[in-house]
Amino acid sequence: QVQLVESGGGLVQPGGSLRLSCAPSGNIFRLTAMAWYRQAPGKQRESVATITMGGTTNYAGAVKGRFTISRDNGKNTVYLQMSSLKPEDTAVYYCYAEGTWPLGTPYIYWGQGTQVTVSS
């Protein structure tokens, strides 16, 4: 069973930076896209940033210009560089991956989540 393993969360002051990483624990087949989602207390999970294996990116309006998603295709690893962090960025951040099995059946995986807290 493949698991997505996230790292890099923590406590940071407003205006600070953090870098999140996510990689699968085992072999993963034919990835098509990876993404970061977040869920703040009392709110629904929301998309933060996505990246296809071809490199196309998409960002939520609230993070555009402050966050950068990137990937290392050779390692099937995705990163989220977060800068100019605000208290409203406080949330549990989840890694997401999607792809297709050899016969075309789609799959998705979620990470367990990593806490990001922005506070002075």
Side-chain angles (χ1 to χ4, degrees), residues 40-57:
K43 295 188 177 182
Q44 289 190 333
R45 190 174 298 190
E46 62 178 1
S47 175
V48 174
T50 62
I51 186 166
T52 68
M53 292 302 102
T56 300
T57 58

Side-chain angles (χ1 to χ4, degrees), residues 67-118:
F67 291 10
T68 301
I69 190 170
S70 60
R71 84 277 185 259
D72 181 332
N73 285 352
K75 298 179 181 179
N76 289 325
T77 299
V78 65
Y79 307 95
L80 186 68
Q81 178 67 47
M82 304 183 292
S83 303
S84 302
L85 283 160
K86 305 175 181 180
E88 50 264 43
D89 294 318
T90 295
V92 177
Y93 283 70
Y94 296 91
C95 181
Y96 166 94
E98 64 180 35
T100 56
W101 295 112
L103 296 182
T105 304
Y107 66 80
I108 64 171
Y109 292 113
W110 287 96
Q112 293 297 307
T114 184
Q115 178 70 46
V116 172
T117 302
V118 184

